[in-house]
Every structure is written in C-alpha cells, then in structure tokens.
Amino acid sequence: MSELSERFETHAPGDKLAGDKLRCDACPVMCYIAEGRTGACDRYGNFGGRIVRCDPVRLLDYAVESGAAVVPFGGDGWDGELVNTTRRFVTAIGAGTTYPDYKPAPFIVSQEVEGVDLVTVVTEGIFSYCGVKVKIDTDRHLGAETAIVRSQGEAVGHVTTGEYGSQMLSLGGVHHLTGGSKSEGRVTCDTLLELCNKKAVELEIEGGAKVVVQAGQPPVIDGTVENRMRVGCGSATIGMFASQWRGLVDEVVVVDDHITGVVSEHQAGKVLGWEETGIRIIGRRSTPGRYFKVSEPGLGWGGTTISDPLAILGEWNPKKGARPGLSLLMVSTTGEQFAYYELDEALAPVAKPFPERLGKSVKLIEENCEPALCTVLFVGGAGGSLRAGVTENPVNLTRSVQGLKTYVTVGGAPVYVWPGGGITLMVDVLNVPDGAFGYVPTPALVAPIEFTLRKDDYLALGGFAAEIRSVDDVVARGGEYFNERSAGAAPARNPWPPLAQLRRSQGARP
Ligand code: SF4
C-alpha cells in the first residue's frame, strides 16, 4: 500500500466513520482520513477526531481612507487580539466548501456600511470548468495559432489569437481537466494551480518555443528573458517618431512581423515632407509605407525570423530617388535591434558605424516600451451547486449577479463577470492574496469566491437568514471546519468589497 493510500481511502457516500477514519465530505472524492493525517488535497485533515480545514480562514484588512496607508491587521503593534478599527472582510480563502451545497455556505457574514446592511456569502468553490488566459508581452513568435501547449509533456491548452504586442495562451478547461487521460487531467490541474498561485511554469508550444510563465514576471522565451514589449507595430512606430528622424537620416524602416513601416512612403512621412528614396520592401504592401509578411514569424527582429534586416530589401530604384550616399536607419519595434547603412556607388546598402545623431531616437523607442510581463487571468464558471450554498433558489443568485445586485470577488479581488448566462468570472491572479487557490483530485481547481449584496436583496432571493453572522462572531468562533483565523493587509489596489458593492448599488464607481 502506498504512503498516499495509507493516508486516505475514497468511498462512495456512506458512514461518516470507517474504523478510526473520518470521512471528509468537502468534495466528491470523499476521503476517509486517519487520525493525524490529511486527505488527498492536503486541505482537510483528521485532527482530534474531527475534520479540520488545515489552512486558516483569511481575513483581510483595508485602509479606512482611500489613499491612506494600509494598516496590517496582524502587523507591527498588533497585540494579538483580532480586534481593530479598520475595515475587515472575511474572504473565502481557507473557508472550506460545503459540497455539494445541500447546506449553507461556510460563512454568511453581515456588515453595516454607511447605514446599509450588507451580507457576504463566503465559500471555496470547486471549479471543474475553469482555466487561465495567459497574456505574454512579446512580439516573438511562440507558436502558431491553435498550436498545442504542453506542460510536463501533457497537452494543457493552446495558443489563441494574439493581441497588440502580446501573445495569448488559453490553458486548462474541462476537456483537458477531465476529458483526456488521467495524467493529462492531473498535469493540467497542477499547471493551473501553479499559475494561479503566481508560481513559474515551463510550457512548451508544439512547433514553437519553450516559455517560462509567471504572473507579474517577464516571460523567459527559449532561455532568454524578454525585457520589453514593443512600442507599437512598425507603422505606429513610424507615426510616433517620424518627426524626430526628419533631417537626421534619409530613410527609416521599422521591422515588424505585423506591419513593417517605411517612413518615406508612410502617411506620416508624406505629411512631414520626406522625399522618395527608391527603396523596395520585399513583402505584401498594405497601404503606402505599410507592409505585411516581410518574413515568417520568429524570434528575430520585430518578431520575424530576420537576423539581417537587409534581407527584406529589394533593388533600390534610382528613378525614384535612390542615390549613392543615401542614409538608411533600420530598427525593430522595441529599439533593441538597430543598424545604419549608406548606399554605395552601385546603390547597395553598406553597414556603417551607428551615428550618434540617431542614438537618441532609438533610445526613445526603447524608453517608450513598457516592461514585458506575463498576465494570468483565472476564468471559472461559478454555476452548479455552489449557488445552492448561497440561496435556496440557485437561479436567483445568477440573476442577482447579472443584475449587478450581487458583487462577486475572489479572495476579495474584484472580478469581471461575463455577460450572458451563468456566472462566468475572470480575475487577475495578481490581485488575489498569495496561496489562495487549491485543488481536489477529481481533478478541479478550488478558488475562493465571495458574493456581497444588500441584506434585503439577500433575503429576497431566498438567502439563509438564520446563518447570517457578524464578522466578530466569525473571528471569535470560526466555522464548521474548526480552522484558525488569520489576518493580513488586502492588496492595496483592491477596493473593500462591501463598499464597492454599496457604491455600485448607488450607481457610483466603487
Ligand atoms: S480531496 Fe480534499 S476536499 Fe476532497 S474529500 Fe479528500 S480531503 Fe476532502
């Protein structure tokens, strides 16, 4: 018998006890856990003859005045008492799950805000339908659209449509979690968990690059850290800097996988009076001075495969202004690659030392580039039985969320709820306190979720009136799973959810 199977066994629903083991009923796995051990997800254990949620319920502390310094709930000078004068919020982090929600959510907490009674319903949701959208700020080609993304050799998602200056991945989802092999589901769950908890994960894109992704950190593409995202496409770069180059050089080409720009032909150059140079770009001309497909996508200049920019130039035309001595600047959209040429007697560009007069403009491109980062958005469907822990009539919660009467947060972080049916939410994991996400081996991700609404609205939608408690009571007595309470400062950029809800119900910005 393995160490893991000694720790827990899974059974169909039945007795709460099997020998000296207790059954955890917080997810469909229903582990039987021996005294002093934890279950398969390590979130619940059998301690002292009762099932205990091993992590503490996380309370967050918010500054009272907007813009004022956040006072840590358990910070310097804290005397150990869970009492303070700042705003508190009981998050669902560590709260536990009342799966399958035949009973009310673990915590239903009331607070009065500016004379209005508000209720927050707190639970750790089990998300079988979930994934992450990853935005990677880079022009470099990571892989073709729809290419499979692998982690630890397993398919965990795919490349999706790129955005302006960024490549996008769509990872997870129910098909990878539960529709493939056991290993695919386990690795997908593990990958999502690491990404949501802001850890670094190495991903391999079929036919493309290896990239290390970590929320809030620069991507590492094939072993190279990406420092900057492009200032814009080649055409936009021409528009931004054409006036700076006027009088300093005869021609400028901004090399870009999307749109390569040529200043003498571009509208911006024409307006400024740039003269023809007889340049010819090998690519598909879109509009004057804007060229598509000068190369295949790659890891070279401006996200192309190019290492020698002259490769995209054809013959120079003397009838259209080409002449010996004509000067040419070629630069990438991040300003990281640049070169200077002059035409010789045969109208062939010859590389020359980079002139000082152009250094400032190239530096300006670099300065205008933002730092390249990875962004991880958790996307989950808070449907199904989770809603039954909030109200006796689950569809009422969906309608209340869609009607903006209920404000949804994940670990106190504001979420975007997709329009249309259901409660499909999206949250930036950087706004969520550390270590907020967990998993169960079904496999599925566990994410904290809180619903905040006016108390009268809560009662009207069939809420569990008898279960409503004060924050102080939660602090003093804890909950069904006997876990500890811990406190810490809320991420400074998140609004206090009860106030955010109140402002929204009053038609103001939170
Ligand atoms: S996997 Fe975790 S939540 Fe699920 S039954 Fe086992 S211990 Fe409980």
Side-chain angles (χ1 to χ4, degrees):
M1 188 179 266
S2 72
E3 196 271 334
L4 202 61
S5 56
E6 270 179 23
R7 277 170 42 200
F8 66 88
E9 296 158 22
T10 64
H11 293 266
D15 290 340
K16 280 269 184 194
L17 267 173
D20 64 342
K21 292 176 182 169
L22 276 180
R23 194 191 75 198
C24 171
D25 60 3
C27 94
V29 177
M30 296 205 172
C31 303
Y32 277 94
I33 311 172
E35 172 64 33
R37 298 296 183 101
T38 55
C41 67
D42 280 334
R43 297 186 308 125
Y44 293 83
N46 174 354
F47 298 102
R50 58 194 193 183
I51 293 291
V52 172
R53 177 72 177 86
C54 301
D55 303 301
V57 179
R58 202 91 59 89
L59 284 90
L60 293 178
D61 202 34
Y62 292 76
V64 173
E65 298 300 330
S66 113
V70 173
V71 183
F73 194 36
D76 289 345
W78 182 48
D79 61 6
E81 286 296 308
L82 284 168
V83 175
N84 74 356
T85 55
T86 54
R87 291 168 174 158
R88 276 171 286 168
F89 183 67
V90 180
T91 74
I93 303 167
T97 309
T98 48
Y99 179 84
D101 298 299
Y102 54 88
K103 52 190 174 182
F107 297 103
I108 302 175
V109 187
S110 74
Q111 265 167 314
E112 190 190 297
V113 181
E114 297 182 0
V116 179
D117 279 339
L118 294 166
V119 167
T120 301
V121 184
V122 168
T123 189
E124 283 182 301
I126 298 173
F127 290 82
S128 300
Y129 284 81
C130 73
V132 296
K133 305 290 180 228
V134 181
K135 173 172 165 282
I136 301 171
D137 299 336
T138 182
D139 259 355
R140 290 180 221 285
H141 178 68
L142 301 182
E145 233 170 77
T146 75
I148 297 290
V149 178
R150 293 187 181 278
S151 175
Q152 301 170 46
E154 295 288 352
V156 299
H158 63 272
V159 177
T160 186
T161 45
E163 298 299 342
Y164 198 79
S166 308
Q167 310 296 330
M168 304 290 292
L169 308 180
S170 180
L171 308 181
V174 73
H175 295 300
H176 288 294
L177 279 169
T178 61
S181 69
K182 221 171 174 177
S183 171
E184 179 178 328
R186 185 184 55 74
V187 171
T188 300
C189 187
D190 189 45
T191 303
L192 296 179
L193 182 63
E194 294 289 280
L195 287 170
C196 288
N197 280 333
K198 309 168 201 172
K199 305 271 173 54
V201 170
E202 183 177 86
L203 302 169
E204 186 164 9
I205 296 162
E206 271 187 11
K210 273 189 187 164
V211 53
V212 178
V213 170
Q214 183 173 12
Q217 298 296 319
V220 183
I221 301 163
D222 283 341
T224 304
V225 178
E226 184 71 295
N227 291 312
R228 283 187 282 274
M229 70 185 292
R230 68 179 184 176
V231 64
C233 69
S235 171
T237 308
I238 293 279
M240 278 184 265
F241 300 108
S243 60
Q244 318 250 354
W245 289 315
R246 186 86 179 101
L248 299 180
V249 64
D250 296 316
E251 182 65 281
V252 180
V253 176
V254 182
V255 180
D256 177 30
D257 170 50
H258 179 208
I259 305 173
T260 289
V262 178
V263 72
S264 66
E265 299 176 359
H266 193 277
Q267 194 179 352
K270 292 287 180 214
V271 171
L272 292 167
W274 285 71
E275 286 164 13
E276 283 189 322
T277 61
I279 194 169
R280 192 167 79 79
I281 301 287
I282 303 170
R284 182 150 67 80
R285 189 166 176 269
S286 161
T287 53
R290 299 168 76 253
Y291 292 85
F292 297 153
K293 288 193 88 65
V294 295
S295 147
E296 290 304 311
L299 303 180
W301 282 50
T304 66
T305 55
I306 293 163
S307 55
D308 174 10
L310 295 181
I312 66 168
L313 301 188
E315 295 284 309
W316 291 73
N317 186 348
K319 291 186 187 148
K320 290 193 171 174
R323 56 184 161 73
L326 186 141
S327 57
L328 166 69
L329 166 66
M330 298 190 81
V331 63
S332 68
T333 43
T334 55
E336 286 167 300
Q337 294 105 340
F338 52 87
Y340 176 77
Y341 306 89
E342 289 178 8
L343 297 190
D344 64 10
E345 291 301 320
L347 301 183
V350 177
K352 299 277 179 179
F354 199 79
E356 217 181 299
R357 66 178 191 278
L358 293 176
K360 197 173 147 206
S361 65
V362 170
K363 202 157 173 28
L364 200 59
I365 294 178
E366 280 192 64
E367 283 172 10
N368 272 270
C369 294
E370 294 171 78
L373 295 175
C374 299
T375 305
V376 177
L377 299 186
F378 169 77
V379 185
S385 66
L386 182 149
R387 296 170 300 168
V390 181
T391 160
E392 285 163 346
N393 191 359
V395 75
N396 283 348
L397 178 66
T398 310
R399 290 182 186 139
S400 180
V401 170
Q402 291 167 353
L404 303 182
K405 288 186 170 177
T406 293
Y407 183 74
V408 186
T409 49
V410 166
V415 305
Y416 175 76
V417 178
W418 284 67
I423 306 172
T424 302
L425 58 88
M426 193 154 73
V427 63
D428 180 352
V429 302
L430 286 180
N431 290 341
V432 181
D434 292 346
F437 291 84
Y439 81 103
V440 290
T442 51
L445 234 57
V446 176
I449 185 162
E450 304 97 17
F451 300 94
T452 301
L453 66 168
R454 296 171 73 109
K455 187 174 177 183
D456 47 4
D457 285 337
Y458 181 58
L459 298 179
L461 62 79
F464 299 101
E467 303 297 326
I468 298 174
R469 303 164 60 187
S470 67
V471 177
D472 288 344
D473 188 54
V474 171
V475 169
R477 293 197 299 118
E480 180 182 350
Y481 292 112
F482 308 103
N483 46 350
E484 300 292 322
R485 276 75 72 201
S486 79
R493 55 184 155 171
N494 292 349
W496 186 41
L499 191 61
Q501 166 54 18
L502 187 64
R503 291 280 179 269
R504 190 169 68 171
S505 66
Q506 292 166 344
R509 281 178 68 83

